[in-house]
Amino acid sequence: MEEKLNLTMEWDKTFPKSEKVNHSKVTFHNRYGITLAADMYAPKDTQGQGQLPAIAVCGPFGAVKEQAAGLYAQTMAERGFLTIAFDPSYTGESGGQPRYMASPDINTEDFMAAVDFLSVQDKVDPERIGIIGICGWGGMALNAAALDTRIKATVASTMYDMTRVNANGYFDSEDSEEARYEKRKALCAQRIADYKNGTYALGGGVVDPLPEDAPFFVKDYYDYYKTERGYHPRSLNSNGGWNVTGCQSFLNMPILQYSQEIRNAVLIIHGEKAHSCYFSKDAFAKLTGDNKELMIIPGAVHTDLYDQTDVIPFDKMCEFFGRYLA
């Protein structure tokens, strides 16, 4: 069922390789038949431990597994979890045509397919599987948690609700029928142009060169995606970005419709100074049950939770997964 992917075997991550874990490349498929590529990280010292708890990691939106997701996965593997960091459908080393498309359904399915894969690994306890979603994949992780009863614990870090920001704009500044109509009209015009041209126009990644009057969070994105700190040649945000029409369906399909019905444990983490913090606060307010937590990191901005290991609360995440994947 799986497409043969051309996977890079050398270490090409934006973070150093840990000597505490074993790293390998793996593939798995989702129920749409798309083959996904992932990096697997397994703790080296597992003698006598039996099957391990496992975590699937994805994000940020427009990033690749060699960036923040891989850092999270490797760090959690150092702490005793078997982890995978995967590229979503249509991006990175994963399959799917045409390239650089996104879908609230298919991208939620990507997380569920990762759970499928982990559930059948000999080293994994299928009753102890969690997920981590970063940035736009934080919202996808919550959507997957609402749909997939096999997920026992979910972390959403520096999350975006991609359906909300597409439909309403940043800070809900375009939350009107007229504004959405104009977006739909422009996207439909782009569809005609793409069809005539026989190709999909790219929307552009993080702006480069950086305008002097760019908002602070755009500067933060530039500092991560466009510099040695986080640049990766396969990252959409580091290069040409998504297709212009890549996120069209997000306008009509809210992903957190049933998040109040999530029964598994949820930890939402966000930076106090992040422009996006309202996404996490509002998402948390909708959750129910006594196994939900919101952790606000003092002074942190959105991208601090991508790669700043002195800011990302790995101790808290380890305690959270240790409790709910016990």
Side-chain angles (χ1 to χ4, degrees):
M1 292 179 65
E2 294 190 4
E3 175 188 355
K4 178 71 173 177
L5 300 178
N6 183 25
L7 302 180
T8 301
M9 290 298 128
E10 67 267 16
W11 186 264
D12 63 344
K13 323 302 181 195
T14 60
F15 51 90
K17 187 175 184 179
S18 171
E19 297 304 318
K20 298 179 182 179
V21 305
N22 292 317
H23 165 261
S24 58
K25 301 295 274 279
V26 297
T27 61
F28 57 95
H29 60 272
N30 66 22
R31 67 186 174 93
Y32 292 105
I34 299 170
T35 300
L36 304 179
D39 287 294
M40 178 181 285
Y41 300 90
K44 282 186 176 179
D45 186 14
T46 58
Q47 194 73 25
Q49 290 188 25
Q51 291 182 312
L52 300 174
I55 303 170
V57 190
C58 193
F61 195 80
V64 287
K65 63 187 181 306
E66 290 77 16
Q67 296 172 309
L71 173 64
Y72 274 64
Q74 179 176 260
T75 304
M76 296 306 291
E78 289 179 330
R79 293 163 180 254
F81 301 87
L82 187 144
T83 66
I84 58 171
F86 65 89
D87 285 328
S89 295
Y90 310 113
T91 68
E93 293 188 301
S94 288
Q97 293 291 335
R99 305 303 291 166
Y100 312 138
M101 289 294 183
S103 162
D105 180 24
I106 295 174
N107 295 143
T108 299
E109 164 63 20
D110 289 341
F111 258 127
M112 298 177 71
V115 175
D116 293 340
F117 171 78
L118 290 172
S119 296
V120 300
Q121 301 307 302
D122 291 339
K123 294 180 180 179
V124 171
D125 182 346
E127 297 301 318
R128 294 193 291 163
I129 295 176
I131 60 174
I132 298 173
I134 306 164
C135 184
W137 259 264
M140 299 296 180
L142 293 179
N143 201 38
L147 191 57
D148 194 329
T149 60
R150 302 167 300 172
I151 296 170
K152 299 302 190 294
T154 301
V155 168
S157 179
T158 196
M159 73 157 280
Y160 261 53
D161 177 346
M162 293 306 302
T163 50
R164 180 176 175 180
V165 76
N166 273 279
N168 299 349
Y170 281 106
F171 316 112
D172 299 324
S173 60
E174 300 166 0
D175 185 13
S176 71
E177 179 183 343
E178 186 61 31
R180 279 185 287 275
Y181 180 82
E182 291 303 318
K183 290 181 187 180
R184 292 168 181 144
K185 185 177 177 182
L187 287 167
C188 288
Q190 185 64 52
R191 291 178 68 109
I192 297 296
D194 289 347
Y195 203 88
K196 286 179 178 178
N197 294 332
T199 187
Y200 291 93
L202 293 176
V206 174
V207 62
D208 187 14
L210 186 68
E212 289 187 12
D213 61 349
F216 79 92
F217 62 90
V218 175
K219 295 179 181 178
D220 291 339
Y221 284 135
Y222 181 94
D223 287 343
Y224 181 75
Y225 286 108
K226 291 292 189 175
T227 69
E228 186 178 349
R229 170 186 167 192
Y231 176 85
H232 195 278
R234 287 192 295 275
S235 168
L236 284 71
N237 292 342
S238 291
N239 297 283
W242 298 93
N243 294 335
V244 174
T245 61
C247 295
Q248 183 173 21
S249 60
F250 285 74
L251 279 165
N252 276 24
M253 300 180 185
I255 56 175
L256 301 183
Q257 187 70 24
Y258 294 102
S259 59
Q260 74 277 7
E261 297 181 8
I262 297 174
R263 297 187 183 185
N264 72 64
V266 174
L267 170 63
I268 298 179
I269 304 165
H270 222 111
E272 175 197 17
K273 300 296 186 182
H275 68 285
S276 50
C277 194
Y278 69 101
F279 290 124
S280 282
K281 290 179 178 178
D282 290 355
F284 179 75
K286 192 177 177 183
L287 300 178
T288 57
D290 58 5
N291 58 353
K292 314 295 191 293
E293 300 179 60
L294 174 63
M295 184 179 189
I296 302 296
I297 309 298
V301 298
H302 184 84
T303 53
D304 284 340
L305 292 175
Y306 283 8
D307 66 339
Q308 300 302 294
T309 54
D310 58 336
V311 176
I312 303 169
F314 284 118
D315 287 344
K316 173 62 179 179
M317 292 165 59
C318 188
E319 180 273 327
F320 171 79
F321 282 119
R323 188 188 341 157
Y324 292 108
L325 300 184

PDB file of all heavy atoms in Angstrom, residues 253-277:
ATOM      1  N   MET A 253     -14.308  24.889   7.512  1.00  0.00           N
ATOM      2  CA  MET A 253     -14.315  23.657   8.308  1.00  0.00           C
ATOM      3  C   MET A 253     -13.642  23.857   9.658  1.00  0.00           C
ATOM      4  O   MET A 253     -12.457  23.555   9.816  1.00  0.00           O
ATOM      5  CB  MET A 253     -13.622  22.538   7.537  1.00  0.00           C
ATOM      6  CG  MET A 253     -14.278  22.209   6.216  1.00  0.00           C
ATOM      7  SD  MET A 253     -13.417  20.872   5.350  1.00  0.00           S
ATOM      8  CE  MET A 253     -14.325  20.831   3.813  1.00  0.00           C
ATOM      9  N   PRO A 254     -14.335  24.369  10.654  1.00  0.00           N
ATOM     10  CA  PRO A 254     -13.736  24.556  11.971  1.00  0.00           C
ATOM     11  C   PRO A 254     -13.307  23.227  12.592  1.00  0.00           C
ATOM     12  O   PRO A 254     -14.098  22.287  12.684  1.00  0.00           O
ATOM     13  CB  PRO A 254     -14.839  25.224  12.781  1.00  0.00           C
ATOM     14  CG  PRO A 254     -16.108  24.902  12.068  1.00  0.00           C
ATOM     15  CD  PRO A 254     -15.746  24.785  10.621  1.00  0.00           C
ATOM     16  N   ILE A 255     -12.040  23.148  13.014  1.00  0.00           N
ATOM     17  CA  ILE A 255     -11.504  21.872  13.489  1.00  0.00           C
ATOM     18  C   ILE A 255     -11.811  21.576  14.949  1.00  0.00           C
ATOM     19  O   ILE A 255     -11.695  20.438  15.379  1.00  0.00           O
ATOM     20  CB  ILE A 255      -9.987  21.790  13.265  1.00  0.00           C
ATOM     21  CG1 ILE A 255      -9.271  22.968  13.932  1.00  0.00           C
ATOM     22  CG2 ILE A 255      -9.647  21.687  11.788  1.00  0.00           C
ATOM     23  CD1 ILE A 255      -7.756  22.891  13.849  1.00  0.00           C
ATOM     24  N   LEU A 256     -12.186  22.588  15.733  1.00  0.00           N
ATOM     25  CA  LEU A 256     -12.379  22.355  17.170  1.00  0.00           C
ATOM     26  C   LEU A 256     -13.856  22.244  17.547  1.00  0.00           C
ATOM     27  O   LEU A 256     -14.252  22.502  18.678  1.00  0.00           O
ATOM     28  CB  LEU A 256     -11.697  23.478  17.967  1.00  0.00           C
ATOM     29  CG  LEU A 256     -10.190  23.619  17.715  1.00  0.00           C
ATOM     30  CD1 LEU A 256      -9.594  24.700  18.603  1.00  0.00           C
ATOM     31  CD2 LEU A 256      -9.464  22.298  17.945  1.00  0.00           C
ATOM     32  N   GLN A 257     -14.666  21.818  16.589  1.00  0.00           N
ATOM     33  CA  GLN A 257     -16.110  21.758  16.776  1.00  0.00           C
ATOM     34  C   GLN A 257     -16.515  20.894  17.966  1.00  0.00           C
ATOM     35  O   GLN A 257     -17.444  21.208  18.692  1.00  0.00           O
ATOM     36  CB  GLN A 257     -16.768  21.213  15.499  1.00  0.00           C
ATOM     37  CG  GLN A 257     -18.285  21.249  15.492  1.00  0.00           C
ATOM     38  CD  GLN A 257     -18.838  22.662  15.385  1.00  0.00           C
ATOM     39  OE1 GLN A 257     -18.162  23.555  14.883  1.00  0.00           O
ATOM     40  NE2 GLN A 257     -20.050  22.869  15.865  1.00  0.00           N
ATOM     41  N   TYR A 258     -15.794  19.774  18.183  1.00  0.00           N
ATOM     42  CA  TYR A 258     -16.162  18.843  19.243  1.00  0.00           C
ATOM     43  C   TYR A 258     -15.070  18.704  20.300  1.00  0.00           C
ATOM     44  O   TYR A 258     -14.991  17.692  20.993  1.00  0.00           O
ATOM     45  CB  TYR A 258     -16.495  17.473  18.639  1.00  0.00           C
ATOM     46  CG  TYR A 258     -17.734  17.506  17.767  1.00  0.00           C
ATOM     47  CD1 TYR A 258     -17.623  17.529  16.381  1.00  0.00           C
ATOM     48  CD2 TYR A 258     -19.002  17.570  18.326  1.00  0.00           C
ATOM     49  CE1 TYR A 258     -18.749  17.588  15.572  1.00  0.00           C
ATOM     50  CE2 TYR A 258     -20.129  17.627  17.531  1.00  0.00           C
ATOM     51  CZ  TYR A 258     -20.004  17.633  16.148  1.00  0.00           C
ATOM     52  OH  TYR A 258     -21.128  17.705  15.360  1.00  0.00           O
ATOM     53  N   SER A 259     -14.236  19.727  20.443  1.00  0.00           N
ATOM     54  CA  SER A 259     -13.132  19.620  21.397  1.00  0.00           C
ATOM     55  C   SER A 259     -13.596  19.498  22.839  1.00  0.00           C
ATOM     56  O   SER A 259     -12.885  18.940  23.686  1.00  0.00           O
ATOM     57  CB  SER A 259     -12.188  20.823  21.255  1.00  0.00           C
ATOM     58  OG  SER A 259     -12.874  22.036  21.485  1.00  0.00           O
ATOM     59  N   GLN A 260     -14.807  19.983  23.126  1.00  0.00           N
ATOM     60  CA  GLN A 260     -15.324  19.837  24.493  1.00  0.00           C
ATOM     61  C   GLN A 260     -15.626  18.381  24.840  1.00  0.00           C
ATOM     62  O   GLN A 260     -15.835  18.047  26.006  1.00  0.00           O
ATOM     63  CB  GLN A 260     -16.588  20.695  24.683  1.00  0.00           C
ATOM     64  CG  GLN A 260     -17.839  20.148  24.013  1.00  0.00           C
ATOM     65  CD  GLN A 260     -17.941  20.507  22.536  1.00  0.00           C
ATOM     66  OE1 GLN A 260     -17.007  21.072  21.962  1.00  0.00           O
ATOM     67  NE2 GLN A 260     -19.077  20.214  21.922  1.00  0.00           N
ATOM     68  N   GLU A 261     -15.620  17.500  23.834  1.00  0.00           N
ATOM     69  CA  GLU A 261     -15.889  16.082  24.072  1.00  0.00           C
ATOM     70  C   GLU A 261     -14.603  15.248  24.204  1.00  0.00           C
ATOM     71  O   GLU A 261     -14.671  14.029  24.334  1.00  0.00           O
ATOM     72  CB  GLU A 261     -16.773  15.528  22.954  1.00  0.00           C
ATOM     73  CG  GLU A 261     -18.148  16.193  22.903  1.00  0.00           C
ATOM     74  CD  GLU A 261     -19.052  15.630  21.809  1.00  0.00           C
ATOM     75  OE1 GLU A 261     -18.676  14.611  21.180  1.00  0.00           O
ATOM     76  OE2 GLU A 261     -20.135  16.209  21.585  1.00  0.00           O
ATOM     77  N   ILE A 262     -13.452  15.904  24.182  1.00  0.00           N
ATOM     78  CA  ILE A 262     -12.195  15.174  24.370  1.00  0.00           C
ATOM     79  C   ILE A 262     -12.161  14.604  25.784  1.00  0.00           C
ATOM     80  O   ILE A 262     -12.270  15.346  26.766  1.00  0.00           O
ATOM     81  CB  ILE A 262     -10.977  16.091  24.139  1.00  0.00           C
ATOM     82  CG1 ILE A 262     -10.942  16.599  22.698  1.00  0.00           C
ATOM     83  CG2 ILE A 262      -9.680  15.350  24.479  1.00  0.00           C
ATOM     84  CD1 ILE A 262      -9.852  17.628  22.447  1.00  0.00           C
ATOM     85  N   ARG A 263     -11.992  13.294  25.881  1.00  0.00           N
ATOM     86  CA  ARG A 263     -11.914  12.653  27.195  1.00  0.00           C
ATOM     87  C   ARG A 263     -10.475  12.399  27.623  1.00  0.00           C
ATOM     88  O   ARG A 263     -10.185  12.282  28.811  1.00  0.00           O
ATOM     89  CB  ARG A 263     -12.683  11.332  27.183  1.00  0.00           C
ATOM     90  CG  ARG A 263     -14.173  11.507  26.935  1.00  0.00           C
ATOM     91  CD  ARG A 263     -14.920  10.199  27.102  1.00  0.00           C
ATOM     92  NE  ARG A 263     -16.339  10.341  26.788  1.00  0.00           N
ATOM     93  CZ  ARG A 263     -17.249   9.374  26.941  1.00  0.00           C
ATOM     94  NH1 ARG A 263     -16.870   8.176  27.374  1.00  0.00           N
ATOM     95  NH2 ARG A 263     -18.514   9.602  26.633  1.00  0.00           N
ATOM     96  N   ASN A 264      -9.559  12.284  26.650  1.00  0.00           N
ATOM     97  CA  ASN A 264      -8.162  12.036  27.028  1.00  0.00           C
ATOM     98  C   ASN A 264      -7.548  13.297  27.619  1.00  0.00           C
ATOM     99  O   ASN A 264      -8.079  14.407  27.483  1.00  0.00           O
ATOM    100  CB  ASN A 264      -7.360  11.492  25.844  1.00  0.00           C
ATOM    101  CG  ASN A 264      -7.062  12.511  24.767  1.00  0.00           C
ATOM    102  OD1 ASN A 264      -6.368  13.495  24.985  1.00  0.00           O
ATOM    103  ND2 ASN A 264      -7.595  12.276  23.562  1.00  0.00           N
ATOM    104  N   ALA A 265      -6.421  13.108  28.294  1.00  0.00           N
ATOM    105  CA  ALA A 265      -5.751  14.220  28.958  1.00  0.00           C
ATOM    106  C   ALA A 265      -5.170  15.193  27.939  1.00  0.00           C
ATOM    107  O   ALA A 265      -4.658  14.783  26.903  1.00  0.00           O
ATOM    108  CB  ALA A 265      -4.642  13.678  29.855  1.00  0.00           C
ATOM    109  N   VAL A 266      -5.237  16.477  28.257  1.00  0.00           N
ATOM    110  CA  VAL A 266      -4.727  17.520  27.366  1.00  0.00           C
ATOM    111  C   VAL A 266      -3.891  18.513  28.162  1.00  0.00           C
ATOM    112  O   VAL A 266      -4.322  18.993  29.222  1.00  0.00           O
ATOM    113  CB  VAL A 266      -5.869  18.266  26.648  1.00  0.00           C
ATOM    114  CG1 VAL A 266      -5.321  19.439  25.830  1.00  0.00           C
ATOM    115  CG2 VAL A 266      -6.662  17.330  25.747  1.00  0.00           C
ATOM    116  N   LEU A 267      -2.721  18.828  27.638  1.00  0.00           N
ATOM    117  CA  LEU A 267      -1.872  19.897  28.169  1.00  0.00           C
ATOM    118  C   LEU A 267      -1.652  20.907  27.051  1.00  0.00           C
ATOM    119  O   LEU A 267      -1.118  20.557  25.995  1.00  0.00           O
ATOM    120  CB  LEU A 267      -0.537  19.332  28.650  1.00  0.00           C
ATOM    121  CG  LEU A 267       0.551  20.348  29.016  1.00  0.00           C
ATOM    122  CD1 LEU A 267       0.120  21.222  30.194  1.00  0.00           C
ATOM    123  CD2 LEU A 267       1.873  19.634  29.308  1.00  0.00           C
ATOM    124  N   ILE A 268      -2.071  22.138  27.266  1.00  0.00           N
ATOM    125  CA  ILE A 268      -1.868  23.208  26.299  1.00  0.00           C
ATOM    126  C   ILE A 268      -0.801  24.149  26.856  1.00  0.00           C
ATOM    127  O   ILE A 268      -0.915  24.626  27.989  1.00  0.00           O
ATOM    128  CB  ILE A 268      -3.176  23.966  26.015  1.00  0.00           C
ATOM    129  CG1 ILE A 268      -4.221  23.023  25.403  1.00  0.00           C
ATOM    130  CG2 ILE A 268      -2.930  25.150  25.093  1.00  0.00           C
ATOM    131  CD1 ILE A 268      -5.559  23.682  25.114  1.00  0.00           C
ATOM    132  N   ILE A 269       0.223  24.404  26.051  1.00  0.00           N
ATOM    133  CA  ILE A 269       1.360  25.225  26.463  1.00  0.00           C
ATOM    134  C   ILE A 269       1.482  26.416  25.519  1.00  0.00           C
ATOM    135  O   ILE A 269       1.422  26.250  24.298  1.00  0.00           O
ATOM    136  CB  ILE A 269       2.671  24.413  26.414  1.00  0.00           C
ATOM    137  CG1 ILE A 269       2.570  23.144  27.259  1.00  0.00           C
ATOM    138  CG2 ILE A 269       3.855  25.257  26.865  1.00  0.00           C
ATOM    139  CD1 ILE A 269       3.672  22.137  26.976  1.00  0.00           C
ATOM    140  N   HIS A 270       1.667  27.602  26.080  1.00  0.00           N
ATOM    141  CA  HIS A 270       1.825  28.778  25.223  1.00  0.00           C
ATOM    142  C   HIS A 270       2.677  29.824  25.916  1.00  0.00           C
ATOM    143  O   HIS A 270       2.744  29.885  27.144  1.00  0.00           O
ATOM    144  CB  HIS A 270       0.473  29.393  24.860  1.00  0.00           C
ATOM    145  CG  HIS A 270       0.384  29.800  23.433  1.00  0.00           C
ATOM    146  ND1 HIS A 270      -0.421  29.165  22.499  1.00  0.00           N
ATOM    147  CD2 HIS A 270       1.023  30.778  22.736  1.00  0.00           C
ATOM    148  CE1 HIS A 270      -0.275  29.738  21.318  1.00  0.00           C
ATOM    149  NE2 HIS A 270       0.601  30.731  21.444  1.00  0.00           N
ATOM    150  N   GLY A 271       3.333  30.664  25.114  1.00  0.00           N
ATOM    151  CA  GLY A 271       4.119  31.769  25.637  1.00  0.00           C
ATOM    152  C   GLY A 271       3.240  32.952  25.982  1.00  0.00           C
ATOM    153  O   GLY A 271       2.335  33.318  25.232  1.00  0.00           O
ATOM    154  N   GLU A 272       3.543  33.570  27.105  1.00  0.00           N
ATOM    155  CA  GLU A 272       2.770  34.714  27.580  1.00  0.00           C
ATOM    156  C   GLU A 272       2.771  35.857  26.574  1.00  0.00           C
ATOM    157  O   GLU A 272       1.746  36.527  26.369  1.00  0.00           O
ATOM    158  CB  GLU A 272       3.355  35.193  28.912  1.00  0.00           C
ATOM    159  CG  GLU A 272       2.719  36.454  29.460  1.00  0.00           C
ATOM    160  CD  GLU A 272       3.575  37.113  30.540  1.00  0.00           C
ATOM    161  OE1 GLU A 272       4.776  36.803  30.636  1.00  0.00           O
ATOM    162  OE2 GLU A 272       3.015  37.955  31.274  1.00  0.00           O
ATOM    163  N   LYS A 273       3.897  36.092  25.908  1.00  0.00           N
ATOM    164  CA  LYS A 273       4.031  37.221  24.998  1.00  0.00           C
ATOM    165  C   LYS A 273       3.749  36.844  23.540  1.00  0.00           C
ATOM    166  O   LYS A 273       3.909  37.675  22.643  1.00  0.00           O
ATOM    167  CB  LYS A 273       5.445  37.796  25.094  1.00  0.00           C
ATOM    168  CG  LYS A 273       5.828  38.295  26.481  1.00  0.00           C
ATOM    169  CD  LYS A 273       4.969  39.453  26.926  1.00  0.00           C
ATOM    170  CE  LYS A 273       5.457  40.021  28.253  1.00  0.00           C
ATOM    171  NZ  LYS A 273       4.592  41.137  28.733  1.00  0.00           N
ATOM    172  N   ALA A 274       3.328  35.625  23.296  1.00  0.00           N
ATOM    173  CA  ALA A 274       3.057  35.173  21.928  1.00  0.00           C
ATOM    174  C   ALA A 274       1.829  35.869  21.367  1.00  0.00           C
ATOM    175  O   ALA A 274       0.798  35.981  22.045  1.00  0.00           O
ATOM    176  CB  ALA A 274       2.869  33.666  21.893  1.00  0.00           C
ATOM    177  N   HIS A 275       1.914  36.318  20.121  1.00  0.00           N
ATOM    178  CA  HIS A 275       0.760  36.930  19.457  1.00  0.00           C
ATOM    179  C   HIS A 275      -0.402  35.958  19.361  1.00  0.00           C
ATOM    180  O   HIS A 275      -1.560  36.347  19.260  1.00  0.00           O
ATOM    181  CB  HIS A 275       1.150  37.384  18.051  1.00  0.00           C
ATOM    182  CG  HIS A 275       1.436  36.251  17.118  1.00  0.00           C
ATOM    183  ND1 HIS A 275       2.605  35.511  17.172  1.00  0.00           N
ATOM    184  CD2 HIS A 275       0.695  35.706  16.117  1.00  0.00           C
ATOM    185  CE1 HIS A 275       2.567  34.571  16.243  1.00  0.00           C
ATOM    186  NE2 HIS A 275       1.434  34.666  15.583  1.00  0.00           N
ATOM    187  N   SER A 276      -0.079  34.668  19.384  1.00  0.00           N
ATOM    188  CA  SER A 276      -1.053  33.598  19.168  1.00  0.00           C
ATOM    189  C   SER A 276      -1.650  33.047  20.449  1.00  0.00           C
ATOM    190  O   SER A 276      -2.441  32.102  20.399  1.00  0.00           O
ATOM    191  CB  SER A 276      -0.352  32.450  18.422  1.00  0.00           C
ATOM    192  OG  SER A 276       0.878  32.125  19.087  1.00  0.00           O
ATOM    193  N   CYS A 277      -1.330  33.629  21.584  1.00  0.00           N
ATOM    194  CA  CYS A 277      -1.729  33.033  22.867  1.00  0.00           C
ATOM    195  C   CYS A 277      -3.239  32.902  23.002  1.00  0.00           C
ATOM    196  O   CYS A 277      -3.739  31.999  23.685  1.00  0.00           O
ATOM    197  CB  CYS A 277      -1.152  33.862  24.011  1.00  0.00           C
ATOM    198  SG  CYS A 277      -1.208  33.034  25.626  1.00  0.00           S
TER     199      CYS A 277
END
